[in-house]
Amino acid sequence: DGGITQSPKYLFRKEGQNVTLSCEQNLNHDAMYWYRQDPGQGLRLIYYSQIVNDFQKGDIAEGYSVSREKKESFPLTVTSAQKNPTAFYLCASRWEGAPYNEQFFGPGTRLTVL
Amino acid sequence: SQQGEEDPQALSIQEGENATMNCSYKTSINNLQWYRQNSGRGLVHLILIRSNEREKHSGRLRVTLDTSKKSSSLLITASRAADTASYFCATVTNSGNTPLVFGKGTRLSVIA
C-alpha cells in the first residue's frame, strides 16, 4: 500500500447523508485518482487531479465531489445524489516522473449505505 | 468506459502449475499494465509493457502483447498459494497523464 493512506477502512452511512473519504499520500506525487470498485468488477474512474487546485471528472463523476487544496490530500465526498454508493473506493497516486502512468494504490475504503 | 476484458473471469489451479490470464482491449494503446489485488486490499503494480514491445519478464511473470490482435497475456510460472488474488489489466491510450482504463479482472485461486 506504500505511502498512501485511506481512512476509514470501513464506513457506514444512512441514506441521504453526505460522507467524505480521506486519501493522503507522502510520496510527493503530483497526480491523484479516485476509483470505485463494485463486487466482481474492475475499477471505474471517478475523479482525478494532476496538480493542486485542479481536477477532472472521470467516467462516473455524478454524485461525487472532490477537492485538491494540498498536494498530499485528495478527499472524495459521496453526496446524497449518488444513487448507489455502496462500493469499495480506491485512491491512487502517480509520480510525475513516471512516463507510463504507473499508479500506487491505497488500501481502500469500503462504504456501505444502510 | 471499460477498455480491457480479462479471460477467464476465474481460474483455479494447483500449486506449482502455471497460470495464464488474457486481456483484450478495444483501442490503440501506448502501454498495458498488469495489477494484482489481494482480497479487500488496494492494487499493486506488477509489470508494464509498451506498445512497441512484444514480451517482458519479471521474476515468475511473463507478459506478452499482440497489438494486431489487441490482446495481452500474463503468465505466472510455478504458482504458489500466495499468488491467489485478482489480476487486472489496465491500458493507457496516451503516455503521461492519460488515466488508466481497467478491465474486470481474473480471480486466480492457487490450491496448495
Side-chain angles (χ1 to χ4, degrees):
Chain A
D1 299 333
I4 302 178
T5 58
Q6 292 185 242
S7 61
K9 186 174 176 66
Y10 298 97
L11 188 56
F12 298 89
R13 182 194 101 176
K14 293 182 179 179
E15 276 194 42
Q17 288 181 337
N18 293 355
V19 63
T20 298
L21 282 60
S22 169
C23 178
E24 304 277 334
Q25 53 98 0
N26 61 3
L27 301 168
N28 201 32
H29 287 179
D30 286 291
M32 297 185 74
Y33 306 81
W34 272 106
Y35 296 92
R36 169 182 172 138
Q37 185 178 31
D38 292 283
Q41 301 294 312
L43 279 66
R44 291 184 291 168
L45 183 64
I46 305 173
Y47 268 99
Y48 65 104
S49 168
Q50 296 174 3
I51 56 172
V52 173
N53 293 323
D54 186 48
F55 47 83
Q56 289 81 40
K57 293 181 179 180
D59 297 321
I60 55 166
E62 185 175 353
Y64 300 98
S65 66
V66 293
S67 63
R68 188 85 188 276
E69 297 176 0
K70 298 187 300 181
K71 188 175 185 177
E72 303 79 19
S73 178
F74 191 39
L76 173 74
T77 296
V78 184
T79 74
S80 56
Q82 169 51 235
K83 299 304 179 188
N84 186 21
T86 294
F88 190 50
Y89 290 87
L90 287 158
C91 178
S93 69
R94 181 183 73 88
W95 172 53
E96 109 177 45
Y100 302 109
N101 200 4
E102 307 97 305
Q103 295 181 11
F104 291 83
F105 282 80
T109 291
R110 188 168 299 280
L111 173 64
T112 302
V113 175
L114 304 173
Chain B
S1 57
Q2 213 121 30
Q3 157 90 300
E5 288 288 336
E6 286 91 340
D7 169 58
Q9 291 186 348
L11 179 62
S12 183
I13 60 174
Q14 296 289 326
E15 205 167 30
E17 293 181 338
N18 295 343
T20 299
M21 289 158 270
N22 303 296
C23 170
S24 59
Y25 57 91
K26 299 173 185 175
T27 63
S28 296
I29 60 170
N30 172 277
N31 69 83
L32 185 145
Q33 304 176 26
W34 285 91
Y35 287 79
R36 165 196 169 124
Q37 182 182 36
N38 285 63
S39 181
R41 305 293 298 274
L43 277 69
V44 176
H45 182 267
L46 292 176
I47 193 167
L48 175 153
I49 187 164
R50 293 174 295 184
S51 60
N52 62 352
E53 297 176 314
R54 293 297 167 258
E55 186 171 315
K56 283 191 78 171
H57 297 256
S58 177
R60 295 185 294 114
L61 304 180
R62 172 178 167 252
V63 173
T64 62
L65 180 65
D66 186 336
T67 53
S68 67
K69 296 182 179 178
K70 291 187 171 58
S71 68
S72 172
S73 66
L74 172 67
L75 169 67
I76 304 174
T77 61
S79 63
R80 306 165 182 168
D83 294 327
T84 295
S86 291
Y87 293 82
F88 295 89
C89 68
T91 54
V92 178
T93 53
N94 293 296
S95 62
N97 296 326
T98 306
L100 295 172
V101 180
F102 286 85
K104 295 183 179 181
T106 292
R107 294 189 310 278
L108 173 65
S109 298
V110 181
I111 302 166

